[in-house]
Every structure is written in C-alpha cells, then in structure tokens.
Amino acid sequence: FAPRILEGKRVLVSAGPTQEALDPVRFISNHSSGKQGFAIAKKARDLGARVTLVHGPVDLAAPEGVDTVPVRSAQDMLEAIQARHADQDYIIMAAAVSDYRPKRVHEQKMKKKDDEMAVELVKNPDILAWLGDHKPKGQILCGFAMETENLEQNAKEKLAKKHCDLLVANNLFTKGAGFQTSTNVVTIFFPDDKVELGTLTKEEVGETILKTMKTLEENAC
Ligand code: C5P
C-alpha cells in the first residue's frame, strides 16, 4: 500500500522505442523494452497521480488506470506529447526516441538490387528539448540518457541543453543496467548536484524519480 503523495498531480511519461519507416515492411528502431517508463507510470498511478503514458511499440500490457497513448514514430510521439504537455505537473521522457529517420519513406517495398545500398537519414525533432523550451511555470521536467561512454559529461551537457530539472543517466555496459533488464543502475543529475543510486529494480528507480520530483517542486515553492 503506497501513500498517495501525488494525489491531484498530473504526470506524463513517455516510454519505449520509436519506429521510423523505410518502406511498408521495414523500419529503423532500437532495443528499448519500455520497462522503465511503464514502471514509472504505474508507480505514479499507485502514488495517486493522474497519469498519461505515451509509448512506442512495446510488448507490455497497458497499465490499468493509466491513460495510454500508443504511437509509432518520433513525429507521432512529438504530436501526442505537444497536445498534452501544457497541464502536466511532471513530465518524464523515458522513451528511447530515434534520433534520425529515413529521409524518404518508400511507398512500395524496396527491392534487392546492388551489393551495397545507402539510406539517407534526417534528424528527428528532439521532444525533450521542445518541452524544455515550452515549460509552463512550475512544471518539473525529467530527461533520461543512456550512454556507452563519458556518462557524466554527456549527462550534464544534455541536462543544460534541454533545460531539464533533472536527468537520469545510465551506462548501457554497466551490469544490471540497460534495455531488457528488470533492474537499473542510474545516477540522477541536477544543475549543481548528482546522486548515484545503486542497483535498483525499475519500480524502485521510478519511485525515487517521482519522490525526487516532488521534493524539487516543494523546494521551488
Ligand atoms: O540526446 P539523447 O537522445 O541521448 O537524449 C535522451 C533524452 O532525450 C531522453 O529523455 C529522450 O527521451 C529524449 N529525446 C527526445 N527526442 C529525441 C531524442 C531524445 O525527446 N529526438
């Protein structure tokens, strides 16, 4: 039984990968399972919040009592979040959004031809950066970062560039962290501080993030 410390709060969470179509049968994506974002959404619900979960294609059941919005591409996710961001108290971008998409989406299946082929990619919109630039007063914004090297430097740069209040970073190569696991090993970065958490379940990471956001909100008052 969880005390309902987020009663009356609105929380938006993004989760999972995005898929960027090449043609009607193929896409570019990544290994994100959606587990961390879904765990955060469920924890926020259990703590009493009204939760919206915008997620890419995943193999997870929609959590009961959560407003679930399935999307496919980064552009879809951007539009779903833009339509819902303004009245949220907390936003947590746990989705692994594809940084690039194919420049051209072929209408018909691409045919096998030469031994080599190149696909031109264009940059996707950065949803977290957009949210950071359009943050209503009082909203708390949390980003994620998965790195394979230079974790601290990359995390600090992202936090500043995307105007987040906190950024949860993990290293893909750390034991117990990463995409398909049920545990995570994260460090939470703030503009002037950082907190290293040990190996926790994704539910525990979710609870820590939400409680940290509540503390940030209270301290800002
Ligand atoms: O720059 P990087 O992709 O590592 O940043 C990770 C953070 O930015 C995550 O919170 C992710 O959800 C978000 N992001 C985004 N839109 C993108 C790329 C990343 O919102 N196009």
Side-chain angles (χ1 to χ4, degrees), residues 14 74 77 81 92-100 123-131 142-147 158 161-162 164 167-168:
S14 72
M77 186 173 278
I81 290 177
I92 300 148
M93 278 297 300
V97 183
S98 303
D99 290 325
Y100 291 87
K123 221 179 201 159
N124 266 330
D126 191 315
I127 304 169
L128 181 58
W130 185 91
L131 288 167
C142 174
F144 264 73
M146 175 173 279
E147 304 292 342
K158 278 174 199 177
K161 200 171 119 208
K162 306 192 189 199
C164 304
L167 189 127
V168 182

Side-chain angles (χ1 to χ4, degrees), residues 13-205:
V13 184
S14 72
T18 65
Q19 287 182 358
E20 311 297 330
L22 268 162
D23 70 14
V25 291
R26 305 182 180 96
F27 55 79
I28 295 176
S29 190
N30 59 65
H31 293 296
S32 172
S33 65
K35 281 183 188 166
Q36 181 63 76
F38 273 57
I40 298 167
K42 286 191 224 171
K43 185 57 75 177
R45 172 202 66 193
D46 293 346
L47 294 174
R50 288 170 66 181
V51 184
T52 304
L53 174 62
V54 179
H55 69 84
V58 291
D59 209 5
L60 299 171
E64 235 176 87
V66 168
D67 178 21
T68 309
V69 186
V71 297
R72 194 165 288 279
S73 67
Q75 186 61 39
D76 296 342
M77 186 173 278
L78 174 72
E79 286 165 22
I81 290 177
Q82 282 178 332
R84 294 167 177 82
H85 87 109
D87 56 359
Q88 303 295 334
D89 297 294
Y90 306 163
I91 299 187
I92 300 148
M93 278 297 300
V97 183
S98 303
D99 290 325
Y100 291 87
R101 66 177 182 277
K103 187 169 185 181
R104 177 169 170 217
V105 183
H106 293 254
E107 270 174 42
Q108 304 298 333
K109 183 181 171 195
M110 293 161 73
K111 286 298 188 195
K112 213 175 1 231
K113 243 177 17 198
D114 305 325
D115 286 348
E116 289 184 20
M117 75 177 288
V119 177
E120 253 189 292
L121 302 176
V122 291
K123 221 179 201 159
N124 266 330
D126 191 315
I127 304 169
L128 181 58
W130 185 91
L131 288 167
D133 287 339
H134 297 83
K135 192 161 48 159
K137 200 170 176 306
Q139 187 179 78
I140 313 283
L141 181 60
C142 174
F144 264 73
M146 175 173 279
E147 304 292 342
T148 55
E149 56 184 2
N150 303 330
L151 179 80
E152 173 138 4
Q153 191 193 335
N154 287 329
K156 283 182 174 165
E157 277 174 20
K158 278 174 199 177
L159 178 79
K161 200 171 119 208
K162 306 192 189 199
H163 302 125
C164 304
D165 300 289
L166 66 168
L167 189 127
V168 182
N170 60 9
N171 186 323
L172 178 61
F173 297 149
T174 301
K175 195 167 171 285
F179 280 126
Q180 305 288 336
T181 57
S182 57
T183 57
N184 220 345
V185 188
V186 306
T187 303
I188 305 183
F189 289 87
F190 305 93
D192 301 309
D193 202 4
K194 66 169 183 181
V195 177
E196 281 180 46
L197 309 181
T199 305
L200 299 175
T201 65
K202 289 186 173 174
E203 283 72 27
E204 289 165 337
V205 171

